[in-house]
Amino acid sequence: AASNVVFSDTNVQEEEWYRETVKRTVHVFTNESTDEFCIARKIINTYYIGPYDSNGTAVMVVSVAKNQLENVFSSIPVTAGSGYAILDDDGKNLYCSNVYEYAWQASGCGEQDEFTLSLDGEKYLASNCQAQYGIHLLFLTPNSDITASVKPLMATYSLIFAGISLVLLLAIY
């Protein structure tokens, strides 16, 4: 479902998200009252008004219901225990699938792109990606899930290798 609402700035000028957007040009936040993930962007129209007139300034907000974010990011997780978090530049958790909320602080706040992370005794393969508009994506996959995925393949390849070795030994004999 989609909706459009137009406000005069007098109705929203005291809102924190509005002030941050006007100050930063782009602001990412979560609207707790509507449970939505939002990206706000300042738009300046200088065509009619002129470059220094605030009457040409507007703020556009695009929001997605948090329960629809999985559909927006429609990627299939690498493993059943994999998950991701969406964070702002300050490390504030805007959305978290099934990963720990404090993973960002444990990861060193985005200093590395790929690294191993230990949370509650479980080791994770982590990947940090900075997207546009001050959004950081943190992907986590438990090492135990990776190992469990690889074991059946290794068993199959081991059997094939053993079979080929046996045939070669018989052929050499």
Side-chain angles (χ1 to χ4, degrees):
S3 63
N4 300 317
V5 181
V6 177
F7 295 104
S8 165
D9 70 342
T10 56
N11 293 339
V12 294
Q13 67 183 354
E14 296 303 319
E15 301 280 337
E16 179 187 355
W17 64 266
Y18 181 81
R19 289 194 317 266
E20 287 295 320
T21 305
V22 170
K23 183 170 69 174
R24 296 182 181 188
T25 304
V26 174
H27 180 58
V28 180
F29 64 99
T30 54
N31 186 340
E32 301 301 330
S33 63
T34 60
D35 202 30
E36 293 174 324
F37 177 77
C38 304
I39 299 174
R41 182 179 179 103
K42 179 171 70 172
I43 301 169
I44 301 174
N45 180 357
T46 59
Y47 185 73
Y48 294 109
I49 305 296
Y52 303 108
D53 191 338
S54 65
N55 289 329
T57 302
V59 172
M60 180 177 72
V61 179
V62 176
S63 61
V64 177
K66 282 187 180 178
N67 63 4
Q68 294 298 312
L69 278 177
E70 295 293 331
N71 296 335
V72 171
F73 284 105
S74 68
S75 61
I76 299 170
V78 177
T79 66
S82 295
Y84 62 91
I86 303 171
L87 308 125
D88 66 10
D89 275 335
D90 300 324
K92 180 183 174 199
N93 186 1
L94 301 172
Y95 177 78
C96 188
S97 63
N98 61 344
V99 295
Y100 294 99
E101 290 189 25
Y102 56 89
W104 179 252
Q105 284 77 22
S107 73
C109 299
E111 294 172 2
Q112 302 175 34
D113 289 339
E114 293 182 9
F115 49 93
T116 303
L117 183 66
S118 291
L119 296 172
D120 294 336
E122 175 83 43
K123 290 195 179 210
Y124 290 85
L125 178 62
S127 177
N128 172 44
C129 172
Q130 182 170 358
Q132 290 182 333
Y133 309 120
I135 298 173
H136 292 267
L137 301 172
L138 179 65
F139 298 95
L140 296 176
T141 302
N143 282 359
S144 59
D145 285 6
I146 295 170
T147 304
S149 301
V150 171
K151 276 185 181 179
L153 291 173
M154 292 305 294
T156 303
Y157 291 139
S158 297
L159 286 173
I160 292 170
F161 177 73
I164 291 172
S165 297
L166 184 62
V167 169
L168 285 175
L169 283 173
L170 289 173
I172 290 172
Y173 181 69

